[in-house]
Amino acid sequence: MNQSYPSTLRDELDGDTLHEECGVFGILGHSDAAPLTALGLHALQHRGQEAAGIVTFDGRQFHTEKRMGLVGDHYTDPATLAKLPGFISIGHTRYSTTGEVALRNVQPLFAELEVGGIAVAHNGNFTNGLTLRRQLIADGAICQSTSDTEVVLHLIARSKQTSSSDRFIDAIRQMEGGYSMLAMTRTKLIAARDPIGIRPLVMGELDGKPIFCSETCALDIIGAKYIRDVENGEVVICEIQPDGSISIDARKPEAPKPQRLCLFEYVYFARPDSVVGGRSIYVARKNMGINLAKEAPVEADVVVPVPDGGTPAALGYAQQSGIPFEYGIIRNHYVGRTFIEPTQQIRAFGVKLKHSANRAMIEGKRVVLVDDSIVRGTTSLKIVQMIRDAGAKEVHIRVASPMIYFPDFYGIDTPDADKLLANQYSSLKAMCDYIGADSLEFLSIDGLYRAVGGETRNNDNPQFTDHYFTGDYPTRLLDKESTSNVRKLSVLASGG
């Protein structure tokens, strides 16, 4: 089994980035359900690299394969796919924000209920998951994982509704937070999105068969057609009928609310070739760079992206400013393999395991470094030093999003507020001095809104979820607010 870096080295490499919880993919009625799901998950690998799982149903029984590590390390093996026969499939690729890294937490989670077998997978986070878990355990429920997805299965099992669809709807109406969710029964593929649409979910079609996935790039990889976004608060129930046809029933169990997509989908998480909420991620990020150049110009010789996230914004900055764009930093795309022991000497290499300076484009020049975001600032500090070591005369950092002040509770793994760079220093100059740059500027919140949606922020009714910048959380945070909900999940330790 391929492993990621041990935690000590992984902290050095990834501790200054944000992580999204996961990606989901599901297809109904296709003879190649599992291979197509594996391909879809491969396209969604950027949303989670810790583990992946697939569940199928072949008309008689359910099959499941769950593996730690990358999709391509396991689901390209014909022997693995042979264990996943069937015409219905859902899959999940994971980065953990709730629950430890262990095989029992890998989704989809499956349970045999009164209404039959059901598998569930979701992207995002429930802000009342711990509260509900505590209530369920007090009522006698037995929890086998530390994943909040398991709470949904318990709620489905305890629902008084008759059909699996109605039980599912009854369960998710009790959940709060930001999520996109897929469920699978013997005949149904069910897709649901949270009431304000924080996390994305799209519907597609291949050979007349319905598909749901986190991003359009997962449709593109298998040649599927994009149909539409699943609307916020919507539940779409696709079911195979006795004659082989597929019925589609779209419901909105609650009164509609204004959609508020997560802005970080545009800033960082989604793939550049995806379309989220009807907007091209690439175009939005390039617009961020254009607006950044307008708001924070600087005299320089070259614009250099911090790869890969900063590249579209750097192109926009260069286009608007007229300063040449160059690849002044080269990224090592194969850093995920454990090929060395994490000794102190190796850890001292720090960011150089991921990035190296392209001296020919940097030496003797005034450099504008464009990044998509800054979390703790530790990576920025190392990159600035690396650029200086390569002979840069000046280093100016421009960040294509606002300062991050607040943690997230909807599926983004963020540090505690006191560890965020913006909260550690009282001024922009103090931050700049810490990082070691000649200047430091961030895109304004209105500049970001204009880049994504074309309008400035409506402070009375914000168009997007932006609490990490503003502190404006769009839902209740029951788990955070409840002082009695200190996490005490005493599940048996596991090596995987």
Side-chain angles (χ1 to χ4, degrees):
M1 182 172 66
N2 291 312
Q3 300 282 353
S4 59
Y5 277 111
S7 59
T8 49
L9 186 55
R10 189 176 65 185
D11 289 345
E12 287 284 334
L13 298 174
D14 295 329
D16 195 26
T17 59
L18 298 173
H19 296 279
E20 229 278 344
E21 187 177 358
C22 55
V24 296
F25 184 98
I27 185 168
L28 174 66
H30 203 288
S31 57
D32 290 325
L36 291 170
T37 300
L39 284 168
L41 293 180
H42 182 74
L44 298 171
Q45 186 74 85
H46 58 287
R47 300 186 74 89
Q49 296 90 48
E50 286 186 348
I54 296 175
V55 174
T56 64
F57 181 71
D58 64 3
R60 293 187 307 105
Q61 65 185 56
F62 290 87
H63 306 268
T64 181
E65 287 290 320
K66 299 182 182 183
R67 303 294 175 90
M68 305 301 295
L70 301 178
V71 175
D73 290 341
H74 303 292
Y75 296 99
T76 52
D77 184 353
T80 300
L81 291 175
K83 298 176 184 177
L84 293 167
F87 54 90
I88 312 176
S89 176
I90 63 173
H92 183 273
T93 185
R94 179 176 191 261
Y95 180 89
S96 61
T97 58
T98 62
E100 71 201 302
V101 182
L103 197 58
R104 65 172 162 269
N105 287 327
V106 178
Q107 299 179 45
L109 297 186
F110 174 82
E112 192 70 48
L113 308 179
E114 181 188 5
V115 291
I118 187 167
V120 178
H122 89 279
N123 162 35
N125 218 43
F126 302 123
T127 56
N128 64 339
L130 287 174
T131 302
L132 289 171
R133 174 188 286 270
R134 181 170 56 84
Q135 294 169 357
L136 287 165
I137 291 174
D139 289 341
I142 299 172
C143 292
Q144 296 293 317
S145 76
T146 57
S147 169
D148 52 359
T149 313
E150 188 175 15
V151 172
V152 179
L153 286 175
H154 280 287
L155 294 176
I156 293 171
R158 290 168 180 244
S159 172
K160 303 302 182 184
Q161 299 295 323
T162 305
S163 73
S164 56
S165 303
D166 290 336
R167 285 183 176 224
F168 176 82
I169 291 172
D170 186 31
I172 64 168
R173 290 183 72 172
Q174 299 174 61
M175 309 304 299
E176 296 193 32
Y179 59 85
S180 292
M181 181 173 291
L182 297 182
M184 180 185 112
T185 71
R186 291 187 179 96
T187 59
K188 298 174 184 175
L189 175 62
I190 307 172
R193 201 163 164 217
D194 67 79
I196 61 174
I198 297 174
R199 300 264 71 88
L201 189 64
V202 299
M203 182 178 183
E205 180 184 273
L206 179 67
D207 302 330
K209 312 304 182 184
I211 298 169
F212 297 94
C213 52
S214 294
E215 294 181 34
T216 57
C217 63
L219 299 175
D220 296 337
I221 197 173
I222 60 172
K225 176 185 177 183
Y226 166 80
I227 301 298
R228 65 178 178 89
D229 283 22
V230 176
E231 296 179 15
N232 53 298
E234 185 178 28
V235 179
V236 184
I237 303 158
C238 303
E239 183 172 11
I240 294 181
Q241 302 301 311
D243 63 359
S245 64
I246 297 176
S247 64
I248 299 177
D249 179 17
R251 305 183 195 176
K252 283 207 167 181
E254 298 181 12
K257 299 178 182 178
Q259 177 173 276
R260 290 185 64 178
L261 255 166
C262 173
L263 268 181
F264 254 111
E265 293 289 344
Y266 296 97
V267 171
Y268 183 84
F269 293 129
R271 254 178 48 166
D273 54 333
S274 285
V275 175
V276 174
R279 306 172 185 89
S280 162
I281 295 297
Y282 179 86
V283 170
R285 288 177 186 167
K286 193 172 180 183
N287 287 342
M288 293 171 204
I290 291 171
N291 291 349
L292 184 59
K294 293 176 181 176
E295 293 182 1
V298 64
E299 290 187 9
D301 303 308
V302 63
V303 174
V304 171
V306 177
D308 288 326
T311 301
L315 285 166
Y317 194 100
Q319 176 182 307
Q320 178 63 33
S321 66
I323 302 170
F325 170 97
E326 296 289 354
Y327 285 103
I329 300 173
I330 306 302
R331 183 185 171 197
N332 176 8
H333 288 267
Y334 301 98
V335 73
R337 298 282 188 176
T338 302
F339 62 98
I340 44 177
E341 288 298 315
T343 64
Q344 182 57 43
Q345 181 182 1
I346 294 300
R347 281 199 291 274
F349 292 160
V351 75
K352 291 183 181 179
L353 283 168
K354 269 189 161 181
H355 303 110
S356 59
N358 185 4
R359 181 179 290 271
M361 295 296 104
I362 290 171
E363 191 168 20
K365 295 179 180 177
R366 299 168 297 175
V367 177
V368 181
L369 273 179
V370 179
D371 206 350
D372 51 36
S373 57
I374 291 182
V375 184
R376 296 191 306 172
T378 51
T379 298
S380 300
L381 182 155
K382 293 173 184 176
I383 287 178
V384 168
Q385 187 59 52
M386 183 177 69
I387 297 299
R388 290 201 187 281
D389 290 344
K393 284 170 59 177
E394 298 175 7
V395 183
H396 303 274
I397 292 188
R398 295 295 180 267
V399 185
S401 62
M403 284 187 266
I404 302 171
Y405 289 99
F406 302 92
D408 180 78
F409 301 96
Y410 303 107
I412 304 174
D413 188 20
T414 50
D416 294 335
D418 60 355
K419 291 184 174 63
L420 295 166
L421 179 70
N423 295 327
Q424 292 183 317
Y425 296 92
S426 59
S427 68
L428 198 61
K429 183 181 184 305
M431 284 185 232
C432 184
D433 290 343
Y434 164 72
I435 290 171
D438 291 281
S439 70
L440 170 65
E441 297 287 348
F442 292 79
L443 184 63
S444 68
I445 189 71
D446 280 338
L448 177 56
Y449 264 77
R450 284 193 299 269
V452 176
E455 300 176 348
T456 58
R457 185 179 194 267
N458 182 334
N459 294 328
D460 294 326
N461 296 289
Q463 304 94 309
F464 297 97
T465 290
D466 60 12
H467 50 276
Y468 18 76
F469 306 129
T470 65
D472 179 7
Y473 291 92
T475 73
R476 296 187 302 169
L477 305 175
L478 292 183
D479 290 344
K480 180 177 181 294
E481 293 162 1
S482 174
T483 55
S484 63
N485 253 329
V486 178
R487 185 182 295 252
K488 294 180 181 178
L489 302 182
S490 52
V491 180
L492 183 67
S494 168

